[in-house]
């Protein structure tokens, strides 16, 4: 019985380590603080300062935003205007549904089926931003993010994304030079990540959204990109909280808050799913355990118990004596018969174990 328990624990550990291995990137995201690539406040000139920015600005002066059509909803008009007004010398492109599709179909036809096939419009809004950054370079800003200061200092990095609390990065404000390896990799992997995860929120997050981007980023970092291929991280304080931050608003209806609201609305459903999943995994483990024990039993009796049978019943029966003299090959064939014997011994073996 003790050996059985040990096997069960070992099998569980094995399965657990397999699961952990397959979600290791997600787990490692939880402890990633992005400190190594953070854009330090000291690197940035204070807003409205007369200090001359000496670093070359390599990201093109181009702002991308997305919306389904040209009519910006009332709530976002001000935010959109703040970005346009602060950057009169920047080119501005609003990627509407129609414009996005035309662009993909003209420049990235291999992606058009995936793009059209996305179930949720937000997946198209997510993916188009990676394509335009990889293609033209520039700065992408969500339509509900207002601009608090000019983007110029951020143009000095080959690419930047922004940190989200408590973990990972977001895709609501990002900048890049054209053909940056990180965004090339991102658009290349979109198809591979395109699958349904049952729940709409998870599907969106993990096929095109911030979770998808975070995983790609986490796997991109260990490739030790050269300085020109690095992805720098705009931390929370430089993102939107303070007078020196680049953007405004948005924090309370950002992805994290949305996720928490969503959890709140669906907790009964999620709990049910959780229990069902745990039950299912439990049953699977029990089934696998049963199989393994069975296998072990067969193995033991075939190769360990059998010789002891012939030892404990020394040549008493004429058939057995005859069989021992059979060539090995034939003996194997007659093992089936032995199995019946093994079954008998197994019962007495277990009975014997009960006593101690
Ligand atoms: C854009 O979409 C909104 C809402 O669906 C609609 O009211 C508006 O007329 C559309 N604008 C244009 C230019 O088609």
């Amino acid at each position: 019985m003790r050996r059985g328990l040990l096997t069960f624990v070992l099998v569980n550990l094995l399965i657990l380590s397999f699961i952990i291995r397959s979600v290791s990137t997600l787990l490692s995201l939880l402890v990633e603080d992005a400190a190594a690539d953070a854009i330090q406040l000291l690197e940035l000139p204070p807003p409205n300062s007369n200090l001359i920015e000496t670093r070359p600005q390599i990201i093109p002066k181009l702002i991308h935003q997305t919306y389904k059509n040209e009519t910006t909803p009332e709530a976002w008009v001000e935010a959109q205007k703040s970005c346009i007004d602060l950057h009169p010398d920047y080119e501005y492109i609003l990627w509407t549904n129609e414009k996005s599709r035309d662009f993909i179909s003209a420049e990235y036809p291999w992606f058009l089926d995936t793009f059209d096939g996305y179930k949720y419009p937000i997946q198209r809004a997510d993916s188009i931003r990676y394509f335009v950054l990889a293609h033209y370079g520039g700065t992408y800003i969500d339509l509900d993010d207002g601009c608090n200061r000019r983007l110029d200092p951020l143009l000095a990095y080959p690419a930047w994304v922004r940190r989200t609390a408590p973990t990972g990065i977001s895709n609501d404000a990002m900048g890049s030079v054209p053909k940056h390896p990180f965004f090339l990799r991102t658009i290349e992997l979109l198809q591979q990540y395109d699958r349904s995860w049952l729940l709409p929120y998870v599907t969106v997050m993990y096929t095109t959204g911030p979770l998808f981007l975070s995983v790609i980023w986490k796997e991109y970092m260990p490739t030790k990109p050269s300085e020109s291929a690095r992805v720098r991280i705009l931390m929370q304080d430089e993102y939107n909280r303070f007078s020196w931050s680049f953007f405004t608003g948005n924090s309370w209806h950002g992805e994290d808050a949305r996720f928490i609201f969503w959890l709140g609305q669906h907790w009964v459903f999620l709990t049910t799913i959780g229990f069902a999943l745990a039950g299912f995994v439990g049953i699977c483990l029990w089934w696998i355990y049963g199989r393994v024990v069975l296998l072990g039993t067969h193995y033991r009796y075939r190769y360990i118990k059998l010789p002891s049978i012939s030892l404990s019943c020394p040549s008493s029966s004429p058939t057995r004596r005859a069989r021992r003299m059979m060539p090995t090959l034939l003996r194997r064939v007659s093992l089936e018969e032995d199995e019946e014997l093994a079954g008998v011994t197994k019962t007495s073996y277990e009975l014997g174990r009960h006593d101690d």
Side-chain angles (χ1 to χ4, degrees):
M1 201 48 220
R2 231 180 294 149
R3 184 181 290 185
L5 192 67
L6 191 70
T7 320
F8 187 59
V9 170
L10 281 179
V11 169
N12 274 303
L13 281 180
L14 218 72
I15 292 170
L16 202 67
S17 65
F18 174 75
I19 293 173
I20 289 179
R21 234 181 84 97
S22 29
V23 295
S24 61
T25 307
L26 287 179
L27 292 178
S28 64
L29 262 179
L30 291 177
V31 293
E32 174 60 59
D33 63 1
D37 294 308
I39 295 174
Q40 303 297 332
L41 185 56
L42 279 175
E43 299 173 40
L44 302 169
N48 306 317
S49 81
N50 293 324
L51 287 181
I52 293 166
E53 172 74 71
T54 51
R55 300 174 301 174
Q57 297 176 347
I58 50 181
I59 294 181
K61 291 191 165 177
L62 174 55
I63 293 175
H64 305 278
Q65 297 202 290
T66 58
Y67 192 62
K68 62 178 172 184
N69 64 24
E70 312 261 339
T71 316
T72 312
E74 198 56 45
W76 298 339
V77 167
E78 202 183 317
Q80 181 190 29
K81 191 170 176 304
S82 69
C83 288
I84 296 176
D85 288 353
L86 262 176
H87 303 94
D89 52 334
Y90 281 43
E91 195 184 334
Y92 178 88
I93 307 179
L94 181 70
W95 293 93
T96 60
N97 287 358
E98 198 186 336
K99 201 167 179 158
S100 303
R101 194 181 183 282
D102 288 348
F103 168 75
I104 294 291
S105 126
E107 303 286 351
Y108 300 91
W110 54 266
F111 188 70
L112 193 61
D113 278 349
T114 314
F115 189 75
D116 286 341
Y118 280 136
K119 188 168 168 198
Y120 308 100
I122 180 95
Q123 292 174 297
R124 276 182 283 279
D126 274 335
S127 52
I128 188 69
R129 64 190 75 174
Y130 308 134
F131 277 97
V132 297
L133 282 183
H135 194 86
Y136 298 107
T139 305
Y140 170 84
I141 310 169
D142 256 7
L143 207 51
D144 56 349
D145 270 1
C147 293
N148 188 46
R149 60 180 285 191
R150 276 179 63 91
L151 295 166
D152 301 341
L154 294 177
L155 304 185
Y157 306 101
W160 62 268
V161 288
R162 89 161 176 96
R163 175 100 180 112
T164 44
T167 176
I169 56 171
S170 184
N171 64 359
D172 55 7
M174 340 175 248
S176 169
V177 297
K179 310 272 176 292
H180 188 282
F182 175 69
F183 284 103
L184 288 180
R185 180 145 185 75
T186 303
I187 60 175
E188 202 181 280
L189 286 174
L190 274 166
Q191 276 178 328
Q192 197 177 313
Y193 277 75
D194 178 26
R195 59 179 94 131
S196 171
W197 291 91
L198 249 52
L199 308 176
Y201 184 85
V202 180
T203 302
V204 170
M205 285 288 277
Y206 205 20
T207 53
T208 57
L211 187 58
F212 159 77
L213 196 67
S214 296
V215 166
I216 308 241
W217 167 66
K218 185 69 190 147
E219 285 171 355
Y220 179 80
M221 273 190 293
T223 65
K224 299 256 179 294
S226 65
E227 199 53 38
S228 66
R230 237 174 118 187
V231 178
R232 302 297 301 272
I233 307 297
L234 189 68
M235 303 304 270
Q236 289 265 296
D237 291 353
E238 284 71 49
Y239 173 64
N240 73 355
R241 275 182 211 158
F242 297 98
S243 58
W244 68 80
S245 309
F246 284 91
F247 303 95
T248 59
N250 166 287
S251 61
W252 68 272
H253 56 110
E255 284 296 339
D256 304 326
R258 237 179 282 168
F259 184 47
I260 289 162
F261 286 144
W262 184 85
L263 282 182
Q265 282 161 2
H266 294 85
W267 69 271
V268 176
F269 174 65
L270 286 172
T271 313
T272 316
I273 292 261
F275 273 110
L277 212 67
F280 177 72
V281 169
I283 289 168
C284 286
L285 287 183
W286 188 246
W287 182 82
I288 291 170
Y289 171 62
R291 289 278 133 156
V292 169
V293 167
L294 220 61
L295 202 76
T297 324
H298 277 289
Y299 175 78
R300 264 211 306 282
Y301 286 106
R302 199 168 268 210
Y303 296 100
I304 298 168
K305 276 289 149 188
L306 275 181
S308 77
I309 294 169
S310 36
L311 276 181
S312 60
C313 316
S315 9
S316 51
S317 88
T319 36
R320 193 156 288 155
R321 204 183 309 135
R323 203 187 291 157
R324 254 200 291 157
M325 284 147 69
M326 273 192 256
T328 325
L329 198 73
L330 282 180
R331 222 159 57 203
R332 277 226 189 110
V333 173
S334 66
L335 260 181
E336 302 243 304
E337 227 178 295
D338 274 333
E339 221 136 66
E340 282 171 32
L341 280 170
V344 174
T345 351
K346 183 187 167 212
T347 322
S348 50
Y349 172 77
E350 277 183 355
L351 281 174
R353 293 284 295 191
H354 268 289
D355 297 340
D356 48 56

